[in-house]
Structure formats: structure tokens, C-alpha cells
Amino acid sequence: MNAPEYTLGIEEEYLLVDTETCALVDVPDALMRDCVQALGDQVSPEFLACQIEVGTGVCASIAEARADLGHLRRTISTCAAAYGMAPLAVSCHPFADWQSRKRTEKPRYDELARDLGGVVRRMLICGTHVHIGLPDDDLRMDTMRQFSYFLPHLLALSTSSPFWGGQDTGLNSYRLSVFDNLPRTGLPPEFTAYAEYRRSVDMLIDAGLIEDSSKIWWDIRPSARFPTIESRICDVMPFMEHTLTIAAMVQSITRMLVELRRRNQRWRIYDRFLIAENRWRAQRYGPREGLLDIGRGALVPMGELVAELIELLDADAMALGCLNELRGAQDIVAQGTSSERQRAVYARAVEDGADASEALRAVVHALMSEFTQGLD
């Protein structure tokens, strides 16, 4: 087996808001043209007209990803400001009404609307996808199967969607509740070989149920377009530094699993029922109530799990040049995720005499500010 290079790419989806009202706005054609002129095919519209997606190029290191993603964020922010708008890197807008949103007119999205009916109209959500280059088909499948154990850890650290329709949902990632209404989502099946995966996918394609594997939206999947595994479970994060921490974790976990295989070892395959329980705990509580350490059979605080994970991945992160970013996971646990910060902003505004709508706008203003933090 040739040693992979572990290249990475990051995709983020943003919401556009009016800087004065904090309400969602549809992306004007002129704004999209400005973005495309500046960024080329690294920017594109999303299913809903108030969304925009960016993607880095193929990056050899986290340092390259930092430079590329920073450029994308700065450019989108600058272009939007010319129209009195601002991007939010957040998975749910705190008070928007999904029923009033228009979708982007595009053949692919027209087909999605026809195929998925009412559930797709609720997709007023944004996520973060991290690609790691693995050129061998069976290696991707084997690595993906083992990687599933770590998906709840990534979700817990990325949560940014506590509000929906002006209400606190009690969840830290309400986005996942909305997304799970779609078919072919959630934890991936346990395919033991790439050929097994292709047989199942090709059956759906040959039956005319889907056009290709891009219509499969598992929490982690073999990319339909690139020779990568693609982690899709995470909320989108306002602070770019947190996005880079998640990317470093995904890259380091991938390398760790591949290196185990090179030594004729592997990560234990745990019951999906237990991993799904951790997925729910991360969705509900973020990093605050701990996850089940399945090997120990005990609930363990997230701070302890993160410390153990950093120790486990130390050599891999060192080899990849992303150790500082990996250690940023400890800062997320200590300082809180976006969901926690949003709730804190809301509570402070109410304590200062704001009503509910004013407090929600305060949350949006804070999210606008966080988008550009650290980009200078």
C-alpha cells in the first residue's frame, strides 16, 4: 500500500443576512457574480437562495487550508458588505422562518425539490465538510468504517444551532434533527469492501432512484467527486480557528487509522447502536454532558475524552504539521461552542432588558462579528 499524502479540503456553507435587520436575505445575482469573479469555482449558490457555499482547493497541509479558507471568508465578507449584507457561518439562523425562503433555480435543485417533497423545504441549515485524500478505494471504505466511532466527538465540538424559528430548541445541533429527515443520512452502513458499497449504490442508480452517489448524505462517505473520504457531520462554525481544529482532527484521525492498518492493526468496530447514542448526546448536549467511552462502558467528560484523543493523535498531528490546531480542541471545550456562546449572548441581552426579538438580533450581530475574527 502506497503511503497516502492526506491532502485536505474544507467546504463551508454560509447564510446571508441584512446587516441592519439581521434577517435572512436572498443572494442577489450581482453579488453572486462578484463572488464568482473573485473566487471562480470555489464559490457557488446553495439549495436555498439565502445560502452560499465555498470550498478550498486541494491543500497539502493545514497551513495551506488556513490561507485558502481565510481568503474565501474575507472575500465573501467584502463582497457582501457592498450590498449591506454579511455572511454567517452558523448552522441555523436564530429566528428565520423556513417556510418563507425561496430556493435557487437550478436543475439539480429542481430535481431535489421533486424527489424529496416537503422535507427538503426545511433545509435552512448549513454544515462543514472536510475531505481527506485517500486514493485507494478499499482503503477509503475500511478507514470510513473505523472512523465512525469518532463522528460524535467532532459533532460535539462543532455545535452551532441551538435556535430554530426564534425558539431555543434545547439541542446544541438542531441542524442534525432537520437534516436527518432526508433519506440516506446518518451513520453509514458497515460495508466491509468498496465493491460491496458500489453494489448497493449501483442498485439505486440502476433502478433510477438516484442519479449518482452524491445523493447519499451519510455523516461520512466516500466522496462522489474526489478520491477522498468526506466527513459531513459537523455544524458550520463562526470562528475559522475552530473549523481548522476540526479539520486537523479529521486529518489526524484518518492518518492514525491508516497507519494502524499499515502495522496490521485496526480500530475496533463498535456497535452502531452505541455510536448512535453518542451521536444523540453530542446533538443534544454538545460537549457539556460527556460521551460514552464504549471501550470502558462508562460516561466520560468531554474534556477527558479530548485530552485522550490529542494524546492518541499526537504523533500523527506532528507528522501532518497540525498539532497546534489539534490542541485547539481543548480551547473549544474550555471556552464553549457557538451554541453555548449564542445562548450566553441571548441571556445577557434579556438581562439587560431586551425582549426576545431584540435578544435574537443581538445573537446575529455577535455571529457577524465572529465570522471575521482572526482573518486579518
Side-chain angles (χ1 to χ4, degrees), residues 1-7 60 132-136 139-140 143 227 254-263 316 319-320:
M1 180 179 67
N2 294 326
E5 296 181 357
Y6 306 108
T7 55
I132 305 297
L134 291 178
D136 181 85
L139 179 60
R140 283 201 300 279
T143 303
T254 301
R255 186 183 189 277
M256 180 268 292
L257 295 174
V258 173
E259 289 302 307
L260 282 177
R261 174 174 165 140
R262 290 168 66 85
R263 298 193 297 269
D316 299 286
L320 293 166

mmCIF file of all heavy atoms in Angstrom, residues 1-7 60 132-136 139-140 143 227 254-263 316 319-320:
data_model
loop_
_atom_site.group_PDB
_atom_site.id
_atom_site.type_symbol
_atom_site.label_atom_id
_atom_site.label_comp_id
_atom_site.label_asym_id
_atom_site.label_seq_id
_atom_site.Cartn_x
_atom_site.Cartn_y
_atom_site.Cartn_z
ATOM 1 N N MET A 1 0.843 -1.191 0.000
ATOM 2 C CA MET A 1 0.000 0.000 0.000
ATOM 3 C C MET A 1 0.884 1.250 0.000
ATOM 4 O O MET A 1 1.726 1.424 0.886
ATOM 5 C CB MET A 1 -0.905 0.009 1.239
ATOM 6 C CG MET A 1 -1.827 1.219 1.340
ATOM 7 S SD MET A 1 -2.889 1.164 2.806
ATOM 8 C CE MET A 1 -1.695 1.358 4.125
ATOM 9 N N ASN A 2 0.737 2.082 -1.001
ATOM 10 C CA ASN A 2 1.484 3.332 -1.050
ATOM 11 C C ASN A 2 1.006 4.278 0.047
ATOM 12 O O ASN A 2 -0.183 4.338 0.366
ATOM 13 C CB ASN A 2 1.326 3.995 -2.413
ATOM 14 C CG ASN A 2 1.952 3.182 -3.524
ATOM 15 O OD1 ASN A 2 2.973 2.520 -3.310
ATOM 16 N ND2 ASN A 2 1.357 3.220 -4.704
ATOM 17 N N ALA A 3 1.930 5.035 0.615
ATOM 18 C CA ALA A 3 1.563 5.951 1.695
ATOM 19 C C ALA A 3 0.728 7.106 1.149
ATOM 20 O O ALA A 3 1.159 7.793 0.220
ATOM 21 C CB ALA A 3 2.819 6.498 2.369
ATOM 22 N N PRO A 4 -0.472 7.339 1.685
ATOM 23 C CA PRO A 4 -1.281 8.483 1.236
ATOM 24 C C PRO A 4 -0.633 9.805 1.631
ATOM 25 O O PRO A 4 0.179 9.863 2.561
ATOM 26 C CB PRO A 4 -2.616 8.287 1.978
ATOM 27 C CG PRO A 4 -2.587 6.886 2.500
ATOM 28 C CD PRO A 4 -1.157 6.541 2.714
ATOM 29 N N GLU A 5 -0.997 10.848 0.934
ATOM 30 C CA GLU A 5 -0.482 12.179 1.257
ATOM 31 C C GLU A 5 -1.391 12.931 2.230
ATOM 32 O O GLU A 5 -1.018 13.973 2.750
ATOM 33 C CB GLU A 5 -0.310 12.986 -0.030
ATOM 34 C CG GLU A 5 0.736 12.395 -0.970
ATOM 35 C CD GLU A 5 0.906 13.222 -2.229
ATOM 36 O OE1 GLU A 5 0.178 14.217 -2.398
ATOM 37 O OE2 GLU A 5 1.775 12.863 -3.040
ATOM 38 N N TYR A 6 -2.611 12.429 2.460
ATOM 39 C CA TYR A 6 -3.551 13.040 3.405
ATOM 40 C C TYR A 6 -3.840 14.498 3.067
ATOM 41 O O TYR A 6 -3.910 15.358 3.958
ATOM 42 C CB TYR A 6 -3.046 12.912 4.846
ATOM 43 C CG TYR A 6 -2.711 11.491 5.245
ATOM 44 C CD1 TYR A 6 -1.390 11.085 5.410
ATOM 45 C CD2 TYR A 6 -3.720 10.546 5.426
ATOM 46 C CE1 TYR A 6 -1.077 9.777 5.765
ATOM 47 C CE2 TYR A 6 -3.413 9.232 5.775
ATOM 48 C CZ TYR A 6 -2.090 8.857 5.942
ATOM 49 O OH TYR A 6 -1.787 7.559 6.283
ATOM 50 N N THR A 7 -3.970 14.794 1.783
ATOM 51 C CA THR A 7 -4.388 16.139 1.398
ATOM 52 C C THR A 7 -5.766 16.419 1.991
ATOM 53 O O THR A 7 -6.527 15.498 2.319
ATOM 54 C CB THR A 7 -4.446 16.269 -0.124
ATOM 55 O OG1 THR A 7 -5.304 15.236 -0.648
ATOM 56 C CG2 THR A 7 -3.062 16.151 -0.735
ATOM 57 N N ALA A 60 -2.224 20.754 0.763
ATOM 58 C CA ALA A 60 -1.235 19.783 1.217
ATOM 59 C C ALA A 60 -1.091 19.782 2.730
ATOM 60 O O ALA A 60 -0.575 18.813 3.304
ATOM 61 C CB ALA A 60 0.113 20.071 0.565
ATOM 62 N N ILE A 132 -10.493 14.288 3.067
ATOM 63 C CA ILE A 132 -9.110 13.834 3.231
ATOM 64 C C ILE A 132 -8.793 12.882 2.078
ATOM 65 O O ILE A 132 -9.517 11.907 1.847
ATOM 66 C CB ILE A 132 -8.888 13.123 4.582
ATOM 67 C CG1 ILE A 132 -9.317 14.031 5.744
ATOM 68 C CG2 ILE A 132 -7.421 12.706 4.711
ATOM 69 C CD1 ILE A 132 -8.533 15.316 5.874
ATOM 70 N N GLY A 133 -7.697 13.162 1.386
ATOM 71 C CA GLY A 133 -7.342 12.379 0.215
ATOM 72 C C GLY A 133 -6.818 10.994 0.568
ATOM 73 O O GLY A 133 -5.848 10.850 1.302
ATOM 74 N N LEU A 134 -7.515 9.969 0.042
ATOM 75 C CA LEU A 134 -7.087 8.570 0.142
ATOM 76 C C LEU A 134 -7.344 7.940 -1.226
ATOM 77 O O LEU A 134 -8.493 7.677 -1.579
ATOM 78 C CB LEU A 134 -7.867 7.818 1.223
ATOM 79 C CG LEU A 134 -7.615 8.182 2.688
ATOM 80 C CD1 LEU A 134 -8.509 7.366 3.599
ATOM 81 C CD2 LEU A 134 -6.158 7.976 3.065
ATOM 82 N N PRO A 135 -6.313 7.685 -2.019
ATOM 83 C CA PRO A 135 -6.536 7.299 -3.407
ATOM 84 C C PRO A 135 -7.058 5.891 -3.619
ATOM 85 O O PRO A 135 -7.620 5.592 -4.665
ATOM 86 C CB PRO A 135 -5.139 7.456 -4.036
ATOM 87 C CG PRO A 135 -4.184 7.314 -2.892
ATOM 88 C CD PRO A 135 -4.887 7.896 -1.707
ATOM 89 N N ASP A 136 -6.907 5.003 -2.649
ATOM 90 C CA ASP A 136 -7.314 3.608 -2.813
ATOM 91 C C ASP A 136 -8.756 3.400 -2.357
ATOM 92 O O ASP A 136 -9.127 3.771 -1.244
ATOM 93 C CB ASP A 136 -6.365 2.711 -2.003
ATOM 94 C CG ASP A 136 -6.705 1.241 -2.147
ATOM 95 O OD1 ASP A 136 -6.237 0.613 -3.123
ATOM 96 O OD2 ASP A 136 -7.462 0.734 -1.295
ATOM 97 N N LEU A 139 -9.180 1.210 0.774
ATOM 98 C CA LEU A 139 -8.644 1.926 1.934
ATOM 99 C C LEU A 139 -9.632 2.966 2.422
ATOM 100 O O LEU A 139 -9.832 3.132 3.633
ATOM 101 C CB LEU A 139 -7.316 2.584 1.569
ATOM 102 C CG LEU A 139 -6.640 3.402 2.674
ATOM 103 C CD1 LEU A 139 -6.327 2.538 3.886
ATOM 104 C CD2 LEU A 139 -5.388 4.082 2.155
ATOM 105 N N ARG A 140 -10.272 3.673 1.500
ATOM 106 C CA ARG A 140 -11.286 4.661 1.903
ATOM 107 C C ARG A 140 -12.420 3.994 2.670
ATOM 108 O O ARG A 140 -12.867 4.493 3.701
ATOM 109 C CB ARG A 140 -11.842 5.399 0.679
ATOM 110 C CG ARG A 140 -10.941 6.458 0.122
ATOM 111 C CD ARG A 140 -11.694 7.470 -0.720
ATOM 112 N NE ARG A 140 -12.379 6.880 -1.861
ATOM 113 C CZ ARG A 140 -11.803 6.567 -3.004
ATOM 114 N NH1 ARG A 140 -10.499 6.750 -3.172
ATOM 115 N NH2 ARG A 140 -12.500 6.064 -4.003
ATOM 116 N N THR A 143 -11.214 2.706 6.146
ATOM 117 C CA THR A 143 -10.971 3.823 7.054
ATOM 118 C C THR A 143 -12.290 4.452 7.496
ATOM 119 O O THR A 143 -12.473 4.776 8.682
ATOM 120 C CB THR A 143 -10.082 4.879 6.369
ATOM 121 O OG1 THR A 143 -8.864 4.265 5.945
ATOM 122 C CG2 THR A 143 -9.771 6.023 7.309
ATOM 123 N N PRO A 227 -11.211 11.515 -4.871
ATOM 124 C CA PRO A 227 -10.704 10.321 -4.181
ATOM 125 C C PRO A 227 -10.451 10.619 -2.704
ATOM 126 O O PRO A 227 -9.322 10.581 -2.212
ATOM 127 C CB PRO A 227 -9.411 10.015 -4.942
ATOM 128 C CG PRO A 227 -8.930 11.350 -5.400
ATOM 129 C CD PRO A 227 -10.173 12.139 -5.721
ATOM 130 N N THR A 254 -7.693 10.216 10.427
ATOM 131 C CA THR A 254 -7.530 9.427 9.207
ATOM 132 C C THR A 254 -6.136 8.832 9.133
ATOM 133 O O THR A 254 -5.967 7.629 8.850
ATOM 134 C CB THR A 254 -7.802 10.306 7.974
ATOM 135 O OG1 THR A 254 -9.126 10.831 8.040
ATOM 136 C CG2 THR A 254 -7.648 9.497 6.688
ATOM 137 N N ARG A 255 -5.128 9.649 9.377
ATOM 138 C CA ARG A 255 -3.755 9.131 9.324
ATOM 139 C C ARG A 255 -3.533 8.050 10.375
ATOM 140 O O ARG A 255 -2.897 7.019 10.109
ATOM 141 C CB ARG A 255 -2.740 10.261 9.518
ATOM 142 C CG ARG A 255 -1.293 9.796 9.330
ATOM 143 C CD ARG A 255 -0.293 10.930 9.599
ATOM 144 N NE ARG A 255 1.056 10.544 9.213
ATOM 145 C CZ ARG A 255 1.899 9.833 9.983
ATOM 146 N NH1 ARG A 255 1.499 9.439 11.191
ATOM 147 N NH2 ARG A 255 3.107 9.543 9.548
ATOM 148 N N MET A 256 -4.039 8.259 11.576
ATOM 149 C CA MET A 256 -3.876 7.275 12.638
ATOM 150 C C MET A 256 -4.459 5.928 12.231
ATOM 151 O O MET A 256 -3.836 4.872 12.407
ATOM 152 C CB MET A 256 -4.540 7.784 13.917
ATOM 153 C CG MET A 256 -4.438 6.847 15.121
ATOM 154 S SD MET A 256 -5.857 5.691 15.263
ATOM 155 C CE MET A 256 -7.194 6.832 15.651
ATOM 156 N N LEU A 257 -5.649 5.930 11.627
ATOM 157 C CA LEU A 257 -6.305 4.681 11.233
ATOM 158 C C LEU A 257 -5.550 4.001 10.098
ATOM 159 O O LEU A 257 -5.416 2.769 10.082
ATOM 160 C CB LEU A 257 -7.752 4.965 10.840
ATOM 161 C CG LEU A 257 -8.658 5.474 11.970
ATOM 162 C CD1 LEU A 257 -10.028 5.866 11.420
ATOM 163 C CD2 LEU A 257 -8.796 4.434 13.074
ATOM 164 N N VAL A 258 -5.065 4.780 9.148
ATOM 165 C CA VAL A 258 -4.311 4.199 8.035
ATOM 166 C C VAL A 258 -2.991 3.618 8.531
ATOM 167 O O VAL A 258 -2.575 2.529 8.104
ATOM 168 C CB VAL A 258 -4.078 5.240 6.928
ATOM 169 C CG1 VAL A 258 -3.138 4.695 5.853
ATOM 170 C CG2 VAL A 258 -5.405 5.650 6.293
ATOM 171 N N GLU A 259 -2.324 4.332 9.445
ATOM 172 C CA GLU A 259 -1.064 3.825 9.975
ATOM 173 C C GLU A 259 -1.273 2.554 10.787
ATOM 174 O O GLU A 259 -0.422 1.649 10.780
ATOM 175 C CB GLU A 259 -0.385 4.901 10.819
ATOM 176 C CG GLU A 259 0.165 6.068 10.011
ATOM 177 C CD GLU A 259 1.173 5.619 8.964
ATOM 178 O OE1 GLU A 259 2.138 4.908 9.327
ATOM 179 O OE2 GLU A 259 0.995 5.963 7.775
ATOM 180 N N LEU A 260 -2.379 2.437 11.485
ATOM 181 C CA LEU A 260 -2.698 1.184 12.168
ATOM 182 C C LEU A 260 -2.786 0.044 11.164
ATOM 183 O O LEU A 260 -2.255 -1.049 11.386
ATOM 184 C CB LEU A 260 -4.029 1.308 12.925
ATOM 185 C CG LEU A 260 -4.025 2.055 14.255
ATOM 186 C CD1 LEU A 260 -5.444 2.135 14.819
ATOM 187 C CD2 LEU A 260 -3.093 1.388 15.265
ATOM 188 N N ARG A 261 -3.446 0.290 10.056
ATOM 189 C CA ARG A 261 -3.585 -0.738 9.031
ATOM 190 C C ARG A 261 -2.224 -1.141 8.468
ATOM 191 O O ARG A 261 -1.976 -2.323 8.212
ATOM 192 C CB ARG A 261 -4.505 -0.231 7.916
ATOM 193 C CG ARG A 261 -4.619 -1.163 6.716
ATOM 194 C CD ARG A 261 -5.657 -0.654 5.747
ATOM 195 N NE ARG A 261 -5.544 -1.294 4.456
ATOM 196 C CZ ARG A 261 -6.580 -1.673 3.713
ATOM 197 N NH1 ARG A 261 -7.806 -1.480 4.161
ATOM 198 N NH2 ARG A 261 -6.394 -2.230 2.527
ATOM 199 N N ARG A 262 -1.344 -0.179 8.289
ATOM 200 C CA ARG A 262 -0.003 -0.485 7.771
ATOM 201 C C ARG A 262 0.773 -1.383 8.737
ATOM 202 O O ARG A 262 1.693 -2.098 8.330
ATOM 203 C CB ARG A 262 0.765 0.808 7.510
ATOM 204 C CG ARG A 262 0.224 1.604 6.328
ATOM 205 C CD ARG A 262 0.819 2.999 6.269
ATOM 206 N NE ARG A 262 2.253 2.966 6.001
ATOM 207 C CZ ARG A 262 2.787 2.899 4.784
ATOM 208 N NH1 ARG A 262 2.002 2.837 3.721
ATOM 209 N NH2 ARG A 262 4.092 2.886 4.621
ATOM 210 N N ARG A 263 0.392 -1.363 10.018
ATOM 211 C CA ARG A 263 1.028 -2.221 11.023
ATOM 212 C C ARG A 263 0.192 -3.466 11.313
ATOM 213 O O ARG A 263 0.369 -4.127 12.340
ATOM 214 C CB ARG A 263 1.242 -1.430 12.317
ATOM 215 C CG ARG A 263 2.171 -0.232 12.165
ATOM 216 C CD ARG A 263 2.607 0.321 13.513
ATOM 217 N NE ARG A 263 1.498 0.833 14.300
ATOM 218 C CZ ARG A 263 1.063 2.093 14.271
ATOM 219 N NH1 ARG A 263 1.645 2.974 13.447
ATOM 220 N NH2 ARG A 263 0.067 2.483 15.044
ATOM 221 N N ASP A 316 0.636 11.671 14.863
ATOM 222 C CA ASP A 316 0.063 11.894 13.531
ATOM 223 C C ASP A 316 -0.064 13.385 13.238
ATOM 224 O O ASP A 316 0.269 13.842 12.140
ATOM 225 C CB ASP A 316 -1.314 11.214 13.442
ATOM 226 C CG ASP A 316 -1.218 9.717 13.648
ATOM 227 O OD1 ASP A 316 -0.756 9.019 12.728
ATOM 228 O OD2 ASP A 316 -1.581 9.257 14.743
ATOM 229 N N ALA A 319 3.326 14.799 12.478
ATOM 230 C CA ALA A 319 3.772 14.463 11.130
ATOM 231 C C ALA A 319 3.050 15.291 10.081
ATOM 232 O O ALA A 319 3.626 15.626 9.035
ATOM 233 C CB ALA A 319 3.548 12.972 10.868
ATOM 234 N N LEU A 320 1.805 15.634 10.351
ATOM 235 C CA LEU A 320 0.992 16.401 9.397
ATOM 236 C C LEU A 320 1.180 17.914 9.547
ATOM 237 O O LEU A 320 0.694 18.680 8.716
ATOM 238 C CB LEU A 320 -0.484 16.052 9.581
ATOM 239 C CG LEU A 320 -0.887 14.622 9.214
ATOM 240 C CD1 LEU A 320 -2.279 14.321 9.757
ATOM 241 C CD2 LEU A 320 -0.843 14.408 7.711
#
